[in-house]
């Protein structure tokens, strides 16, 4: 369980730095926006390119991938249905942020260390990471762009925007480099890696600024909405993954991996998307903050259950 705690502790420290800098008035709201833009337009694409080019592709096409896709789709659909019943009047952008907050897991800066220390191999998180980068993110970016322009989504227009978004470009470029087995010269790869290393710290510092400058997490009328998303993320999603995995014949370590991955908290980049498209920034922030803490006992409980039942 040390890997779980180390991963969460690392994130908490960087968020605390952002909070402190905002508290001391070194950084303000404009810094939050600028850091998010830096992450969205430059650092995150570079990070995704770096991650994708070293993702083991032979571990991707599997029942693990199908389980991850199905789990996300189920949770996203459930959220949209609940939102229309309980929070009518939401626009498409708000529903996009809500469904991402409920189903898009922190497979990068939390998933990788947890896969290494809890699951024993980073390859276990690769299918979810690839699914989110190459399937979920491009589709959502195209829908966000349409919503920001006040347009109805159209297939050709969405496809064009899908492949012009910096996040999507970075992921696809990394995948092509991996598939074609291209060895980038250091004069190219080193600057990309250095820029990519800025992505997660930028997101987390911006997140910390929001915690200090914005309202308290899950305060007031939004509390029920936030807790609904958190419940879907850390409780319902691993339960769905367990059911789907069993139905697909996953057992033992493979089943353990998909359930733990599904229980990971909401990814920090959802906050970046919310800031970029000016949709439900506080909701995304609160869902990330609370799900990050709520996921710790859930993952520990899942590990204990599989250890008792399957000896893992």
């Amino acid at each position: 369980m040390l890997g779980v705690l180390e991963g969460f502790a690392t994130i908490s420290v960087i968020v605390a730095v952002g909070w402190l800098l905002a508290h001391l008035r070194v950084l303000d709201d404009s810094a939050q926006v600028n850091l998010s833009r830096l992450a969205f337009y430059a650092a995150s694409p570079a990070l995704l390119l770096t991650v994708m080019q070293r993702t083991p592709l032979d571990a991707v096409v599997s029942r693990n991938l199908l389980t991850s896709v199905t789990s996300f789709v189920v949770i996203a659909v459930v959220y949209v249905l609940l939102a229309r019943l309980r929070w009518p009047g939401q626009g498409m952008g708000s529903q996009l942020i809500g469904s991402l907050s409920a189903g898009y897991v922190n497979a990068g800066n939390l998933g990788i260390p947890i896969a290494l220390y809890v699951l024993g191999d980073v390859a276990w998180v690769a299918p979810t990471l690839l699914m989110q980068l190459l399937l979920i993110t491009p589709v959502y970016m195209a829908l966000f762009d349409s919503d920001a322009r006040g347009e109805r989504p159209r297939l050709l227009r969405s496809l064009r925007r899908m492949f012009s978004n910096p996040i999507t470009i970075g992921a696809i470029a990394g995948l092509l480099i991996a598939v074609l087995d291209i060895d980038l010269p250091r004069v190219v790869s080193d600057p990309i890696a250095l820029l990519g290393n800025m992505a997660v710290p930028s997101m987390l510092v911006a997140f910390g600024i929001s915690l200090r400058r914005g309202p308290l997490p899950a305060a007031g009328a939004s509390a029920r909405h936030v807790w609904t998303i958190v419940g879907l993320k850390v409780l319902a999603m691993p339960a769905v993954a367990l059911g789907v995995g069993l139905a697909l014949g996953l057992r033992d370590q493979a089943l353990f991996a998909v359930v733990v991955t599904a229980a990971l908290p909401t990814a920090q980049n959802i906050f970046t998307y919310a800031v970029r498209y000016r949709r439900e920034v506080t909701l995304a922030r609160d869902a990330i903050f609370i799900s990050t803490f709520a996921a710790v006992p859930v993952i520990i409980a899942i590990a204990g259950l599989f250890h008792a039942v399957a000896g893992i």
Side-chain angles (χ1 to χ4, degrees), residues 131-161:
M131 177 270 294
Q132 293 189 157
L133 296 181
L134 294 184
L135 295 179
I136 305 300
T137 298
V139 171
Y140 270 78
M141 290 301 103
L143 294 174
F144 274 127
D145 286 335
S146 294
D147 180 64
R149 290 174 169 82
E151 302 169 347
R152 295 190 62 175
R154 295 181 180 177
L155 180 59
L156 292 179
R157 182 187 295 158
S158 296
L159 287 174
R160 184 174 65 252
R161 287 175 182 160

Side-chain angles (χ1 to χ4, degrees), residues 21-166:
L21 290 174
H23 181 71
L24 296 175
R25 299 184 180 180
V26 176
L27 299 177
D28 56 13
D29 292 338
S30 63
Q32 172 193 323
V33 173
N34 289 331
L35 284 169
S36 297
R37 287 176 176 171
L38 171 65
F40 184 86
Y41 286 104
S44 290
L47 175 63
L48 297 182
L49 187 151
T50 303
V51 170
M52 291 305 305
Q53 71 175 348
R54 64 170 184 252
T55 298
L57 298 180
D58 58 344
V60 170
V61 182
S62 62
R63 288 174 293 179
N64 187 318
L65 176 64
L66 183 56
T67 302
S68 296
V69 173
T70 305
S71 299
F72 175 85
V73 171
V74 169
I75 293 300
V77 169
V78 169
Y79 169 79
V80 171
L81 293 176
L82 285 174
R84 289 181 176 180
L85 288 173
R86 304 181 67 177
W87 301 284
Q90 274 193 335
M92 183 173 72
S94 297
Q95 292 185 2
L96 291 173
I97 289 295
S99 59
L100 282 175
S101 298
Y104 198 104
V105 307
N106 192 335
N109 52 317
L110 258 183
I112 289 175
I114 287 177
L116 180 62
Y117 292 108
V118 179
L119 303 176
D121 191 347
V122 174
W124 287 116
V125 80
T128 298
L129 188 63
L130 194 62
M131 177 270 294
Q132 293 189 157
L133 296 181
L134 294 184
L135 295 179
I136 305 300
T137 298
V139 171
Y140 270 78
M141 290 301 103
L143 294 174
F144 274 127
D145 286 335
S146 294
D147 180 64
R149 290 174 169 82
E151 302 169 347
R152 295 190 62 175
R154 295 181 180 177
L155 180 59
L156 292 179
R157 182 187 295 158
S158 296
L159 287 174
R160 184 174 65 252
R161 287 175 182 160
M162 184 183 300
F163 294 103
S164 63
N165 186 281

Side-chain angles (χ1 to χ4, degrees), residues 232-243 258-260 262-263 298 302:
L232 288 173
K233 176 77 258 337
V234 302
L235 296 177
M237 192 167 181
V240 171
L242 176 63
V258 297
V259 176
V260 168
V298 171
I302 290 171

